[in-house]
């Protein structure tokens, strides 16, 4: 199989449709279909099971996928550069939950780029888990380590959350009184990770103001109410203060996830080290600033 065959096969496998693959490759669906048909004819086997719902890998396609991904990794240079410790270049896409993407990654990535001006960084902020198997991103930051797939996972750092509300409002004396305030939080049926399910600790099933976005929740709290906030986000909302810090505190963690086949990439490994160190430092800096703002 040549490189053109590999990229067409991978595009269809990841998009599970000719139309989706066509958008990735900038080709029309009919052309993609003909290319897949010719590839299957040359291999003498069907690579996909076709149905009205899309294209799903056949058993032969499943066997071919790891080799195709390995070839992709060998033929692509996502972080080009010279030998040794030359600066990083090319494009890298980092997927992250929107709290991390909004309040941590911009500063961390700016610092990395200052040392590597030829590097282009894309931040994919999603209120769901980033799908690395479909190459939505080169790296992903998650709040739970994945338990499936050919992935490398490493813990980056712990972070903390506390209840917060506007500084001009009277803070509750205890958790029982906190329940008298309107609650701000996630839309219950859109919580995509169990680590984001905080409000059970308040003994409240009702969320009066809800969003699937951490950034929107922060803006809601600026209008009133009470809710859990990442300590590292509080410096971006000077109207808010931590309340009941001694009564309730949450600790979660960020994990960095990448493709297993990237293990031997020295350049990507250097980026992972810089990204992890930067995130640890930025969480520590912002949490220290937030600690001074408690009722």
């Amino acid at each position: 199989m040549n490189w053109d065959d590999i990229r067409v096969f991978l595009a269809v496998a990841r998009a599970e449709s000719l139309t989706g693959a066509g958008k990735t490759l900038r080709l029309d669906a009919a052309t993609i279909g003909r290319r897949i048909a010719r590839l299957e004819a040359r291999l003498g086997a069907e690579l996909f099971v076709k149905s009205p719902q899309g294209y799903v890998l056949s058993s032969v396609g499943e066997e071919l996928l790891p080799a195709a991904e390995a070839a992709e990794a060998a033929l692509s240079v996502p972080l080009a550069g010279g030998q040794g410790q030359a600066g990083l270049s090319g494009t890298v896409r980092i997927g992250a939950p929107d709290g991390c993407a909004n309040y941590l990654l911009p500063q961390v990535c700016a610092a990395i780029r200052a040392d590597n001006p030829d590097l282009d960084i894309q931040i994919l902020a999603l209120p769901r888990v980033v799908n690395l198997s479909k190459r939505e991103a080169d790296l992903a930051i998650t709040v739970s380590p994945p338990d499936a797939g050919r992935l490398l996972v490493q813990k980056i750092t712990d972070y903390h959350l506390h209840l917060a509300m506007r500084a001009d409002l009277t803070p509750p004396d205890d958790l029982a009184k906190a329940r008298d305030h309107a609650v701000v939080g996630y839309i219950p049926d859109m919580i995509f990770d169990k680590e984001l399910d905080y409000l059970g600790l308040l003994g409240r099933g009702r969320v009066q103001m809800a969003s699937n976005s951490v950034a929107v929740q922060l803006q809601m709290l600026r209008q009133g109410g009470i809710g859990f906030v990442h300590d590292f986000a509080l410096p971006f909302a000077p109207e808010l203060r931590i309340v009941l810090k001694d009564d309730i505190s949450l600790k979660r963690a960020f994990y960095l996830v990448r493709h297993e086949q990237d293990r031997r990439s020295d350049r990507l490994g250097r980026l992972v080290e810089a990204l992890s160190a930067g995130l640890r430092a930025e969480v520590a800096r912002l949490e220290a600033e937030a600690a001074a703002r408690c009722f």
Side-chain angles (χ1 to χ4, degrees):
M1 234 184 353
N2 61 32
W3 169 236
D4 281 341
D5 290 337
I6 291 171
R7 69 190 189 100
V8 170
F9 168 73
L10 287 173
V12 176
R14 289 163 181 164
E16 296 184 349
S17 76
L18 299 181
T19 301
K23 291 178 181 178
T24 299
L25 299 174
R26 297 183 179 180
L27 296 171
D28 61 80
T31 299
I32 299 291
R34 288 194 295 271
R35 296 276 293 275
I36 290 295
R38 285 201 297 267
L39 176 58
E40 289 178 329
R42 284 200 298 273
L43 295 175
E46 289 190 351
L47 299 175
F48 297 94
V49 178
K50 298 97 172 173
S51 75
Q53 286 71 44
Y55 276 49
V56 178
L57 285 170
S58 67
S59 58
V60 175
E62 290 280 5
E63 292 176 3
L64 181 62
L65 183 62
E69 289 181 332
E72 179 187 48
L75 291 169
S76 62
V77 188
L79 296 172
Q83 299 297 317
Q85 295 298 307
L88 302 173
S89 64
T91 300
V92 64
R93 179 178 294 176
I94 305 167
D98 73 321
C100 179
N102 274 284
Y103 303 113
L104 296 173
L105 281 178
Q107 306 92 278
V108 173
C109 291
I112 291 173
R113 278 213 70 258
D115 294 330
N116 301 275
D118 293 327
L119 178 65
D120 296 336
I121 301 177
Q122 300 173 352
I123 299 174
L124 180 65
L126 292 175
R128 61 171 174 80
V129 176
V130 173
N131 193 328
L132 286 180
S133 66
K134 292 189 176 182
R135 288 286 174 174
E136 286 186 331
D138 302 294
L139 306 169
I141 296 166
T142 68
V143 293
S144 288
D147 56 8
R150 297 182 295 277
L151 301 169
L152 298 177
V153 183
Q154 65 187 72
K155 182 177 177 179
I156 301 172
T157 187
D158 291 324
Y159 64 92
H160 301 83
L161 304 97
H162 288 91
L163 285 173
M165 62 189 302
R166 265 184 15 203
D168 62 343
L169 300 177
T170 302
D173 297 326
D174 53 37
L175 280 176
K177 291 183 180 179
R179 299 183 189 108
D180 295 334
H181 292 265
V183 173
V184 174
Y186 280 100
I187 299 171
D189 62 355
M190 296 188 73
I191 295 174
F192 63 90
D193 191 299
K194 61 179 175 35
E195 296 295 335
L196 304 179
D197 191 2
Y198 313 133
L199 295 180
L201 298 171
L202 279 179
R204 291 285 298 270
R206 181 184 174 200
V207 183
Q208 288 93 335
M209 294 287 286
S211 173
N212 64 338
S213 165
V214 168
V216 174
Q217 290 173 29
L218 200 68
Q219 297 303 321
M220 288 175 170
L221 284 168
R222 295 171 103 168
Q223 309 308 311
I226 191 169
F228 283 103
V229 176
H230 300 77
D231 286 11
F232 61 70
L234 280 169
F236 298 90
E239 304 92 338
L240 302 182
R241 295 290 184 274
I242 293 173
V243 299
L244 301 174
K245 185 173 184 179
D246 295 333
D247 295 85
I248 189 165
S249 176
L250 303 181
K251 182 169 75 172
R252 298 292 188 265
F254 285 130
Y255 297 86
L256 196 146
V257 186
R258 54 181 166 140
H259 302 281
E260 197 279 335
Q261 66 198 46
D262 294 333
R263 182 190 298 273
R264 288 173 286 185
S265 171
D266 173 69
R267 299 180 186 95
L268 196 58
R270 287 158 51 202
L271 176 65
V272 165
E273 289 178 7
L275 187 63
S276 298
L279 284 169
R280 283 192 292 270
E282 191 64 4
V283 167
R285 181 184 74 83
L286 292 170
E287 287 197 346
E289 186 175 335
R293 296 168 47 199
C294 303
F295 281 123

